[in-house]
Amino acid sequence: SQQGEEDPQALSIQEGENATMNCSYKTSINNLQWYRQNSGRGLVHLILIRSNEREKHSGRLRVTLDTSKKSSSLLITASRAADTASYFCATASTSGTYKYIFGTGTRLKVLA
Amino acid sequence: NAGVTQTPKFRVLKTGQSMTLLCAQDMNHEYMYWYRQDPGMGLRLIHYSVGEGTTAKGEVPDGYNVSRLKKQNFLLGLESAAPSQTSVYFCASSYSHTISSTDTQYFGPGTRLTVL
């Protein structure tokens, strides 16, 4: 079963606008990561947030984590056409296994 | 430094045929993973390895076998391919030592497999 579920499934915005996508998960986690996948390519790591952190920034990316609601959000500010990709969250459970569970992804399209 | 490489990039099989997908990493990572990606399903873990000579089952291991004879290589085998195994397969590796590690996964470019 999927641990993470992204919302929305698809998002289309104009260049320069901000894009927000959300991830919900089911069990206690050690950390949560966001990855980007360009069409036909492998996933690329964007940012990691630990369970004891509430917010993290990296360039134009801002990630928040609310462990009480079991949810995270990824904000991309001042979006560019090159940000067009699918974005996935991945959670590392506290259950004692060495693996991440990926969500179903949000497809972002940034229109020039 | 090539990172994670996968061969082949594309393959078409007939039902019942067998094949092996090869994943190689040159980052001296301990952990390696095989995922499959299907439309609307995200990535699902097939098998993984926490070190040379060890393997473990993931979410969807049925119909697949793996081997990690060398630290840098992780092989995924399909003994008798079925149409349900049509998918894009991704290999990944990480340097994680413990469950609380902050290490990330590095992905290969993927193998697109079609089983007719």
Side-chain angles (χ1 to χ4, degrees):
Chain A
S1 62
Q2 295 290 335
Q3 166 77 310
E5 297 289 337
E6 284 91 342
D7 169 58
Q9 291 186 350
L11 181 61
S12 185
I13 60 174
Q14 295 291 326
E15 204 167 29
E17 292 180 337
N18 295 342
T20 300
M21 50 206 88
N22 305 295
C23 169
S24 60
Y25 56 91
K26 297 176 183 176
T27 63
S28 296
I29 61 171
N30 275 313
N31 64 67
L32 183 146
Q33 301 185 19
W34 285 91
Y35 287 79
R36 183 187 72 222
Q37 184 181 33
N38 290 94
S39 181
R41 308 292 292 274
L43 277 71
V44 175
H45 177 257
L46 293 176
I47 194 167
L48 178 148
I49 186 165
R50 298 187 186 123
S51 60
N52 61 353
E53 296 176 315
R54 291 297 168 259
E55 187 171 312
K56 203 160 183 180
H57 297 256
S58 177
R60 293 184 296 113
L61 305 179
R62 172 178 169 253
V63 170
T64 62
L65 179 64
D66 187 336
T67 53
S68 66
K69 294 182 179 178
K70 291 187 169 57
S71 68
S72 173
S73 67
L74 171 66
L75 168 68
I76 304 174
T77 60
S79 62
R80 306 165 181 168
D83 295 328
T84 294
S86 291
Y87 292 82
F88 295 88
C89 67
T91 51
S93 166
T94 58
S95 65
T97 56
Y98 300 91
K99 53 191 181 186
Y100 283 91
I101 303 296
F102 285 81
T104 52
T106 292
R107 294 189 310 278
L108 173 65
K109 187 170 185 178
V110 181
L111 304 170
Chain B
N1 190 338
V4 180
T5 58
Q6 293 181 232
T7 53
K9 288 186 169 53
F10 303 94
R11 186 72 186 268
V12 178
L13 291 178
K14 294 181 179 178
T15 296
Q17 287 185 318
S18 64
M19 77 162 295
T20 299
L21 282 68
L22 172 63
C23 175
Q25 52 93 7
D26 60 2
M27 296 173 282
N28 200 35
H29 284 170
E30 291 290 339
Y31 291 63
M32 297 188 75
Y33 314 80
W34 275 108
Y35 295 91
R36 60 177 289 173
Q37 184 177 34
D38 302 291
M41 298 290 289
L43 273 76
R44 291 183 293 170
L45 183 64
I46 304 171
H47 286 280
Y48 64 102
S49 169
V50 301
E52 182 179 321
T54 69
T55 63
K57 294 181 180 179
E59 285 181 86
V60 289
D62 294 342
Y64 305 95
N65 56 76
V66 288
S67 64
R68 183 99 181 266
L69 299 180
K70 293 183 179 180
K71 186 177 183 178
Q72 63 268 34
N73 295 337
F74 195 28
L75 279 63
L76 177 70
L78 285 73
E79 291 185 347
S80 179
S84 61
Q85 294 178 305
T86 293
S87 186
V88 182
Y89 291 85
F90 288 99
C91 176
S93 70
S94 67
Y95 192 62
S96 300
H97 279 279
T98 68
I99 190 168
S100 61
S101 169
T102 58
D103 280 322
T104 65
Q105 296 188 17
Y106 294 82
F107 282 81
T111 294
R112 188 173 297 274
L113 175 67
T114 301
V115 182
L116 303 175

